């Protein structure tokens, strides 16, 4: 679909699938086939939660070494790192987030919706990846989500936040009006400097941000 759209728009396009990587930190300019005269945009949607906490700074520095024009990060708003050594606290945070998530699914999709079934299945797998003991799940499969404020602290070491314009925020708010009542957009800060939240009934669910060198 991307190739077809690129041809339609007259834009040169090449899709380079990389396989065999055991972790995100193994990416290099060579296996990405990055050319010296290319403008690079890094788009991470739910990708960083699988990176081990101890490796996240190194991965962000690796992104920085690519000299990208823009970096976008989208992650679910939950903290499973601060409590990773305390099962009860981790369970409570998991219960808080998944209760919110399933409530959203209940009110947003009919019971027989294929999309709802797919999202419920993926959420169930995610619960296992969060709560399973280390010997029950591979280290690369564990999910260690962090809140937007935590990601902001990490990303600020290598990048500067890009503010969302009022036009962009207004466009997204207008788009949300097409969906069930309960969805809203919230700035992380008053000027949208470090990101925005997609919220369900005023509770942040997803954090999205943009960064530049």
């Amino acid at each position: 679909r991307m190739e077809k759209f690129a041809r339609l728009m007259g834009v040169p396009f090449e899709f380079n699938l990389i396989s065999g990587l055991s972790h995100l930190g193994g990416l290099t300019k060579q296996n990405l086939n990055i050319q010296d005269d290319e403008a690079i945009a890094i788009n991470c949607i739910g990708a960083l939660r699988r990176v081990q906490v101890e490796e996240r700074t190194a991965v962000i520095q690796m992104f920085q070494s690519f000299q990208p024009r823009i970096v976008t990060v989208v992650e679910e708003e939950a903290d499973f790192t601060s409590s990773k050594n305390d099962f009860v606290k981790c369970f409570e945070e998991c219960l808080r987030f998944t209760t919110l998530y399933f409530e959203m699914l209940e009110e947003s999709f009919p019971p027989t919706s294929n999309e709802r079934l797919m999202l419920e299945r993926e959420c169930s797998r995610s619960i296992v990846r969060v709560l399973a003991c280390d010997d029950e799940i591979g280290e690369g499969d564990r999910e260690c989500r962090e809140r937007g404020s935590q990601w902001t602290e990490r990303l600020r070491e290598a990048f500067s936040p890009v503010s969302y314009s009022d036009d962009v925020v207004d466009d997204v708010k207008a788009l949300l009006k097409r969906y069930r009542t309960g969805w809203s957009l919230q700035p992380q800060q008053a000027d949208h400097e470090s990101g925005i939240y997609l919220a369900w009934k005023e509770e942040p669910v997803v954090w999205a941000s943009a960064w530049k060198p």
Side-chain angles (χ1 to χ4, degrees), residues 32-43:
L32 287 172
N33 195 26
I34 294 174
Q35 306 301 314
D36 292 337
D37 60 345
E38 286 185 312
I40 301 169
I42 298 174
N43 183 32

Side-chain angles (χ1 to χ4, degrees), residues 22 30 53 55 61 80-82 89 105 116 127 148 158 171 180 197 203-204 212:
S22 58
Q30 287 70 36
V53 176
E55 299 175 0
Q61 290 174 346
F80 298 138
T81 58
S82 300
K89 289 184 178 179
L105 292 181
R116 173 176 171 174
I127 293 171
D171 285 347
R180 293 274 184 172
Y197 293 109
E203 288 290 331
K212 63 181 180 180

